[in-house]
Amino acid sequence: MDQESSADASPEPPWPEFPDFVAARARHLLRTAFLLTGGDAHLAEDLVQEALGRVFVKWRKISRLDNPSGYAQTVLVNTFLSYRRKRSASERVTAEFPEVGVDDPDPALRLTLLRALAELPAPDRAVLVLRFWEDRSVEETAAALRLSGTAVRTRSRRALVRLRAVLGADIDAVLGGSPETDGLDATTGPDVPSRKAVLRHAQ
């Protein structure tokens, strides 16, 4: 009887090793953290390490989720926001960049972009990164940040307007002179890929 029950029982599904997950996703996490911190490479590394530590503690459960990578990204963003709440000192922008390939790099413009990101309030920056770097929907971003959809749209619109105010004419260089630039303060629509290009250029 016991043997039959054992035979009928479904085996526990395999779950990936945590080191394999880190090897596959750490680089992307670092890029996200780099944007979140406004270009502080050292803080970005610290945040990724802390976030991965939190993920490791619950890895057996997390690894069975449909999207463990998305969960790790959410942990990283919340780690960043928690850090910002605990620290009163302003961020510093660094000229050090991760070794990430970019098309037609413009170091001066990249620094301008990073400074512009650094001037945004941490929650607004988190919304931009999740929406336009991570390609998350308004609803997914709201769930990750524990905000309402209306709050996500408001923060996104405000942050994009402020970015444009800081970048001025440089925004056209980043977007390649796209006619969609005038819609930069929207949160949905055909200009979303162009807005994502702004954050990608900061890489």
Side-chain angles (χ1 to χ4, degrees):
M1 185 76 174
D2 291 339
Q3 291 179 345
E4 290 180 1
S5 298
S6 298
D8 293 337
S10 299
E12 190 175 85
W15 49 292
E17 295 292 336
F18 183 71
D20 295 335
F21 175 79
V22 172
R25 299 303 300 171
R27 189 179 183 88
H28 186 84
L29 287 169
L30 185 58
R31 290 177 178 176
T32 301
F34 188 70
L35 291 172
L36 286 170
T37 60
D40 189 330
H42 299 294
L43 177 56
E45 291 175 357
D46 290 344
L47 291 175
V48 169
Q49 289 298 320
E50 183 174 347
L52 287 174
R54 294 181 181 183
V55 170
F56 175 73
V57 172
K58 299 180 179 179
W59 178 243
R60 183 155 189 151
K61 178 180 179 181
I62 293 171
S63 65
R64 292 184 171 86
L65 297 176
D66 291 337
N67 186 12
S69 296
Y71 185 94
Q73 291 288 345
T74 298
V75 171
L76 174 62
V77 172
N78 288 329
T79 300
F80 162 71
L81 292 175
S82 177
Y83 170 85
R84 293 301 302 147
R85 284 191 292 267
K86 293 176 182 177
R87 298 284 181 176
S88 59
S90 60
E91 296 171 323
R92 61 180 177 81
V93 177
T94 177
E96 297 177 28
F97 297 92
E99 295 181 2
V100 180
V102 294
D103 297 327
D104 191 21
D106 184 337
L109 182 53
R110 251 196 292 169
L111 282 173
T112 301
L113 282 166
L114 289 170
R115 290 192 183 101
L117 284 172
E119 290 180 11
L120 296 174
D124 290 2
R125 202 180 318 151
V127 166
L128 280 189
V129 171
L130 285 176
R131 287 283 286 118
F132 306 123
W133 170 248
E134 295 296 329
D135 281 330
R136 298 210 190 181
S137 66
V138 170
E139 293 73 19
E140 290 170 334
T141 301
L145 299 178
R146 298 181 178 88
L147 297 172
S148 67
T150 299
V152 168
R153 291 185 179 91
T154 299
R155 288 185 176 278
S156 177
R157 185 178 300 111
R158 179 175 61 198
L160 288 167
V161 168
R162 289 187 63 178
L163 274 185
R164 186 173 189 177
V166 172
L167 294 174
D170 285 337
I171 196 75
D172 294 326
V174 174
L175 300 181
S178 170
E180 299 162 354
T181 302
D182 289 338
L184 192 63
D185 59 339
T187 54
T188 58
D191 56 321
V192 169
S194 294
R195 288 185 307 226
K196 186 170 182 179
V198 174
L199 296 185
R200 286 200 179 282
H201 197 92
Q203 295 296 301

